Amino acid sequence: MSMPGKRRSTGRRWPVLAAAGALLVGAAVTVVALDRGAAEPTGCATPARCQAATTAGATPTPATPAPTPTAAGSAPASATARAADSTGGGRYPARFSIGAPGVGRYRQSDAQLPVPPGYRVYEPHDRASKEWDLYDCKGTVNLDRIYFRAFIYIGTDCHGTVNITNSIIAPPPGSANRAILVNANSAGRLTLNIRNTTIRPEPVAGGQQNAALTDHAINDCATCTIRISGVDVANTGGMCLCGANVTIERSWLHDNYIAHLTDPSQAHTGGVFPYGGSGPVTISNSRLEPGVDAFTGKEVPGYWKAITAVLFTQSEGTSTLRDYLVRDSFISLGAFGLYAQDGIGLRLRDNVFGPTHWGHTSQCGSDCSVTYAEWSNNVVGSIDGTPTGKAVPRPS
């Protein structure tokens, strides 16, 4: 692959960072101007807020759901679900066991990750926004063993296959958008494969800016297929704002970074959030615990104010989420574990639900009609990922 040339203005849509004026909690939400023109997603600070309507400018509904109880439900736990170790019997990865080769253990507050031997360092094309540009993706583009001191912008005419492997994506202070901003238009298809990679924006002090800290690491596009495999995502507002043709496997979300925010609710997102998505979305063998300080094994203080739910589904317009499967995964430390407000025939099986603030799951409420095709062997677990024999009831 040849390195992208100098910046072009043709076909370029600059990402928009907008404040969500009168949202449910009056919090600012970072968004991008994607081709499909989706309205801004919203978050919640209380169960009552979580019940509200979600499209930009919508009037919140007043319904107040009670957190779903976590007592034993109708489905007994299988022997596999009761495997008594912090990986659920090997179903999901141990902490610090995946990601870019050579990274090792790190603290949430470390200013930078080390550059492992054999990696090339890519500096941003735009030093003001901290953006590294990928405009031309015809055919196949391979980005391997690269340390990006930037966020990655995938341009409007980027159609083809992009493979990001064995790499580190580390947006520095001053970054103007999410870690990987996909803005490919609908004129062609884009396949984005991210494998054995660490996505970890660098922390900033109070009042300073790094937009990648408070937004989902990755977003989708109308004609995208995204596969995330063996990826370590930390110090972000969530893993993926994506709801169609997405596969997440053997990956890890942890350490949502909110230390620089006076009000953590400004970062309201969802861990994996198919906002307005139609599916399919598959999440398997993954460890999704945004509110954990992985180095200490304890909660990030106030984590629940920043992450509405580890798994969060919402419709937008007339969208309906289908072909949604979550299996063999650890789901922990969001305001809720699962907050499903959209979806037909959702399937969740053999998952472990760790501690949350409001409850392992939420009620659907009066303004949604979520249905489940499968809910089996989903059990309660401890903060380290160890399952118990107590079943999590299917949400009502």
Side-chain angles (χ1 to χ4, degrees):
M1 170 210 164
S2 60
M3 289 284 292
K6 65 181 182 179
R7 297 173 58 81
R8 305 197 308 260
S9 59
T10 303
R12 176 62 187 271
R13 176 176 293 176
W14 184 253
V16 176
L17 296 174
L23 289 179
L24 306 182
V25 294
V29 180
T30 301
V31 299
V32 296
L34 299 177
D35 287 341
R36 65 183 179 187
E40 296 171 7
T42 62
C44 57
T46 67
R49 300 289 191 184
C50 279
Q51 192 61 38
T54 60
T55 54
T59 301
T61 56
T64 304
T68 301
T70 55
S74 57
S78 67
T80 302
R82 293 195 297 267
D85 65 55
S86 61
T87 67
R91 280 176 292 161
Y92 35 85
R95 291 169 181 160
F96 296 107
S97 67
I98 60 170
V103 171
R105 287 171 59 86
Y106 57 89
R107 294 181 184 272
Q108 184 186 51
S109 58
D110 288 348
Q112 293 182 335
L113 296 181
V115 180
Y119 279 61
R120 294 167 291 168
V121 175
Y122 281 11
E123 300 290 344
H125 291 103
D126 187 303
R127 294 191 178 277
S129 67
K130 314 301 181 187
E131 172 184 333
W132 188 88
D133 297 314
L134 182 59
Y135 293 124
D136 186 356
C137 309
K138 292 181 177 65
T140 299
V141 175
N142 294 314
L143 300 168
D144 184 69
R145 292 189 181 268
I146 298 169
Y147 193 116
F148 291 92
R149 294 194 190 277
F151 78 86
I152 297 174
Y153 174 80
I154 298 180
T156 54
D157 297 323
C158 192
H159 304 126
T161 298
V162 176
N163 298 315
I164 302 174
T165 56
N166 306 307
S167 292
I168 298 169
I169 303 169
S175 293
N177 222 302
R178 68 178 84 246
I180 302 177
L181 174 58
V182 180
N183 209 31
N185 64 30
S186 58
R189 300 204 60 83
L190 170 66
T191 298
L192 175 61
N193 299 312
I194 309 170
R195 181 169 55 86
N196 299 340
T197 288
T198 295
I199 300 174
R200 195 255 183 190
E202 295 174 354
V204 297
Q208 294 183 330
Q209 178 192 354
N210 184 345
L213 293 172
T214 52
D215 210 341
H216 294 85
I218 308 161
N219 67 276
D220 67 1
C221 75
T223 55
C224 285
T225 298
I226 298 177
R227 189 179 189 96
I228 299 168
S229 179
V231 176
D232 172 4
V233 178
N235 282 23
T236 72
M239 179 176 282
C240 196
L241 181 67
C242 42
N245 302 314
V246 173
T247 301
I248 299 170
E249 59 188 8
R250 202 176 56 82
S251 292
W252 182 30
L253 172 65
H254 59 105
D255 281 288
N256 65 310
Y257 192 88
I258 53 178
H260 65 305
L261 298 175
T262 303
D263 177 6
S265 67
Q266 293 174 356
H268 270 300
T269 55
V272 177
F273 190 10
Y275 176 63
S278 59
V281 174
T282 299
I283 302 168
S284 66
N285 304 101
S286 291
R287 190 177 191 107
L288 305 177
E289 46 184 349
V292 78
D293 180 327
F295 196 88
T296 66
K298 299 179 180 180
E299 297 177 4
V300 174
Y303 75 89
W304 59 275
K305 298 178 182 179
I307 299 288
T308 302
V310 181
L311 302 175
F312 188 14
T313 71
Q314 281 186 336
S315 63
E316 189 275 319
T318 59
S319 68
T320 301
L321 178 63
R322 303 174 189 271
D323 298 321
Y324 180 87
L325 170 65
V326 184
R327 66 172 181 84
D328 298 296
S329 295
F330 181 52
I331 300 157
S332 182
L333 294 176
F336 290 98
L338 169 69
Y339 183 65
Q341 292 293 289
D342 176 44
I344 293 179
L346 304 183
R347 293 180 292 153
L348 291 94
R349 67 172 183 263
D350 299 314
N351 300 296
V352 178
F353 284 77
T356 58
H357 188 77
W358 295 117
H360 297 129
T361 63
S362 75
Q363 294 177 337
C364 182
S366 59
D367 61 341
C368 74
S369 56
V370 175
T371 64
Y372 293 86
E374 182 178 11
W375 183 277
S376 61
N377 299 326
N378 298 303
V379 302
V380 175
S382 61
I383 194 170
D384 71 347
T386 302
T388 70
K390 181 185 291 187
V392 176
R394 185 173 72 177
S396 58

